[in-house]
Amino acid sequence: FGTPILAVNEQVLREALSLEQAVEIFRAQSYAGSWSIHLSSAKERRAVSVEVSADGVEALWAPAATLAAANHVRGGLAIPKEFSFSQRYFEDSRLRARAMEKGLSAAGAEGLSLEKAVQLISGVERVGADGQSEVRSVHGIVSKLNNIQSVVMAPEAGIALMGVPRDIGGKPTQGIYHAVPLAWPGALEPELFLSAARRMAPGGVAGSAVPESTVRAHEAVRHAAHAAADEGDFGTVVRELEEAVAEEPREVTWKVLRAVSGFRWAADAEDDASKRARLNDAFSWLERASEQKPDGYVRSLIALFRGRYRDLMGEREAALLEYAQVSGAHSVELRHQAELHLRKPYRARALRKLVIDTVHGDIYRF
């Protein structure tokens, strides 16, 4: 048993007069689950990440009044037991955090202006371990394309800048960020908040320029995710992902998603002929993705599914060759799946067990 994290957060907001007091409030509780809470103080010009779990509480103080955090833990207590939805979720979080660190470092001692802060969080850059820019993340540094969740807080000015759809009823945050007072009483009502933002600052601050084709591709992928999770309609999933490929033909993630979704779609076929046709089609998408020479993890993911296809076609020797190419360097689970198939052929009844991570282009359950 443990204290609900929302109750502790509320106590911090109500009682803490400094970051040190906030940390002590977190330390005074016990926890059943794991959380990472990021706190900052405009008055103290400091920031801290507090990671809590059943193993204890760890405060990670940010250097130089800047804190860059994404969706992974950083403390010694939490890292050994960190849970990740999928390999690419784990990878993408670190790439986005490095991009944020790079942007904060480039700002120097003067820090970020509101305009630069908006540009940073609405950007789509990601940065590798070597500090160099890589291909962009499948979603932004902070703000996901086609999703409203980005805010720039300016406590000294008493305002917040919030990403607002360019069109009523739209979703892309890569539009205009509007200012509203931090003390505005309607802040908890999203629709009122957005309409007030448009009235108060119709000009706003422009977010990073993102190609319309990218916005449309992400919209198609979100439609695919909805069709898969809420409706189990994989015919719609593959059609939406083909739209994403048409919008961004150089993005290998969409092709991999289309391929593995085709395997899951084959499980719903009404007869053997339809199942074979869908599997053949899925294999052709694996081939298209391979032509782009993807990175090590994606290359191994493709090899695993090529092997599964060969097994389903009764080509056991060819399947074994594919499984042998699956590396464990990037994912223990991926190599584990390959080793299982090296011992025993993959069967069609397992197709329904596939659960796909549409957001990151990966597999939740193999």
Side-chain angles (χ1 to χ4, degrees):
F1 297 96
T3 308
I5 193 64
L6 293 180
V8 187
N9 290 343
E10 192 276 334
Q11 183 182 356
V12 167
L13 292 173
R14 186 179 66 248
E15 299 179 6
L17 300 178
S18 68
L19 289 181
E20 292 284 1
Q21 288 184 11
V23 170
E24 289 309 309
I25 290 173
F26 281 109
R27 290 193 189 281
Q29 307 296 332
S30 59
Y31 304 91
S34 301
W35 296 90
S36 183
I37 305 95
H38 310 302
L39 306 169
S40 65
S41 168
K43 181 174 66 176
E44 298 175 51
R45 302 198 70 78
R46 291 201 300 169
V48 62
S49 286
V50 181
E51 294 181 354
V52 307
S53 69
D55 295 321
V57 176
E58 191 166 6
L60 306 170
W61 292 92
T66 62
L67 172 62
N71 295 97
H72 61 278
V73 297
R74 298 180 296 140
L77 290 176
I79 286 176
K81 297 183 179 180
E82 181 174 16
F83 169 77
S84 180
F85 296 103
S86 65
Q87 173 65 26
R88 298 197 78 191
Y89 175 95
F90 179 90
E91 171 194 77
D92 195 67
S93 179
R94 283 152 179 78
L95 293 169
R96 291 186 291 110
R98 291 191 192 106
M100 179 69 75
E101 290 167 354
K102 180 180 177 182
L104 292 171
S105 176
E110 295 181 0
L112 293 172
S113 65
L114 289 179
E115 291 77 11
K116 288 182 179 179
V118 166
Q119 290 290 310
L120 180 60
I121 72 165
S122 61
V124 292
E125 181 185 34
R126 71 179 186 183
V127 179
D130 60 358
Q132 302 300 312
S133 295
E134 297 183 347
V135 295
R136 64 173 176 75
S137 171
V138 290
H139 54 70
I141 291 175
V142 174
S143 56
K144 293 183 181 180
L145 295 173
N146 297 313
N147 190 26
I148 306 165
Q149 62 174 40
S150 303
V151 178
V152 174
M153 308 293 287
E156 293 176 339
I159 62 171
L161 291 173
M162 183 172 183
V164 177
R166 286 170 289 187
D167 304 306
I168 299 293
K171 291 183 179 178
T173 59
Q174 274 66 23
I176 303 298
Y177 283 66
H178 296 279
V180 296
L182 286 176
W184 185 61
L188 296 180
E189 298 292 336
E191 292 304 319
L192 293 176
F193 188 95
L194 295 179
S195 61
R198 289 193 182 92
R199 290 197 306 273
M200 295 178 64
V205 178
S208 293
V210 177
E212 286 296 322
S213 59
T214 297
V215 173
R216 290 193 296 268
H218 279 259
E219 183 176 8
V221 172
R222 287 181 66 82
H223 289 165
H226 170 76
D230 297 347
E231 302 169 9
D233 180 0
F234 285 89
T236 296
V237 171
V238 299
R239 287 190 292 273
E240 291 290 350
L241 291 172
E242 287 173 11
E243 288 291 329
V245 173
E247 294 289 352
E248 289 192 304
R250 297 180 62 186
E251 178 54 72
V252 69
T253 300
W254 308 149
K255 294 176 184 175
V256 172
L257 278 174
R258 171 58 182 86
V260 297
S261 296
F263 278 81
R264 179 58 185 83
W265 189 34
D268 299 331
E270 297 179 355
D271 52 60
D272 289 342
S274 296
K275 180 177 292 184
R276 179 176 287 267
R278 292 178 185 182
L279 289 171
N280 287 338
D281 185 55
F283 183 78
S284 73
W285 282 96
L286 290 176
E287 296 288 86
R288 291 177 65 176
S290 296
E291 291 171 0
Q292 293 186 230
K293 303 186 185 315
D295 62 39
Y297 175 74
V298 175
R299 187 164 59 248
S300 287
L301 184 64
I302 291 171
L304 179 74
F305 277 87
R306 284 166 59 106
R308 287 180 167 186
Y309 169 81
R310 297 298 186 190
D311 265 341
L312 293 170
M313 294 296 112
E315 304 168 10
R316 182 59 177 164
E317 292 302 317
L320 292 174
L321 292 175
E322 295 289 357
Y323 296 139
Q325 297 181 44
V326 177
S327 169
H330 304 279
S331 168
V332 173
E333 177 59 26
L334 193 59
R335 183 59 197 168
H336 173 66
Q337 291 294 320
E339 289 172 351
L340 289 176
H341 301 334
L342 284 168
R343 295 193 297 269
K344 188 176 180 180
Y346 184 75
R347 300 300 187 191
R349 62 178 175 270
L351 288 169
R352 289 191 180 277
K353 296 181 180 180
L354 275 175
V355 181
I356 300 167
D357 177 359
T358 312
V359 174
H360 301 95
D362 205 350
I363 307 298
Y364 285 134
R365 189 174 71 183
F366 284 90

